[in-house]
Amino acid sequence: MATDLDLAFKALADASRRALLDRLHAKNGLTLSELCENHDMSRQAVTKHLAILETANLVVTKWRGREKLHYLNPVPIHDIYTRWVGKFERGRLTALNNLKQALEKNHD
């Protein structure tokens, strides 16, 4: 059974889905029609991509009357950053900070 992190990685692996997330990052709360604008995909393809993003909890929806609005949920991306990216950066950032302090100490 796939974990939440596995689902998020799978969803982020596709360039079309990342483009949809970029659109929602630029302007949250878009309808399906708005998300289909300026895309080289059919409405059905966008719908399938959105379903994968929703399953990964990267997109959440809210109904406003008859309109279904799509919103970016940054929590899974933050979890990926914390679990996979952040731990690799800590060492480098500490090394850079130590270097800065040593250079400033030598400068004085």
Side-chain angles (χ1 to χ4, degrees), residues 19-43:
L20 289 169
L21 292 174
D22 287 339
R23 298 267 318 271
L24 290 173
H25 181 263
K27 184 178 180 195
N28 234 348
L30 296 175
T31 64
L32 176 60
S33 296
E34 291 170 325
L35 285 168
C36 289
E37 291 174 4
N38 302 322
H39 252 289
D40 294 337
M41 289 186 287
S42 68
R43 186 177 179 93

Side-chain angles (χ1 to χ4, degrees), residues 61-92:
T61 59
K62 180 179 178 183
W63 286 93
R64 184 179 65 195
R66 295 188 304 174
E67 288 184 317
K68 185 178 182 182
L69 304 177
H70 300 82
Y71 294 90
L72 172 67
N73 178 16
V75 173
I77 296 171
H78 181 266
D79 291 344
I80 288 171
Y81 175 82
T82 302
R83 171 68 175 91
W84 292 101
V85 179
K87 72 178 179 181
F88 295 110
E89 281 188 349
R90 275 185 229 124
R92 281 189 241 155

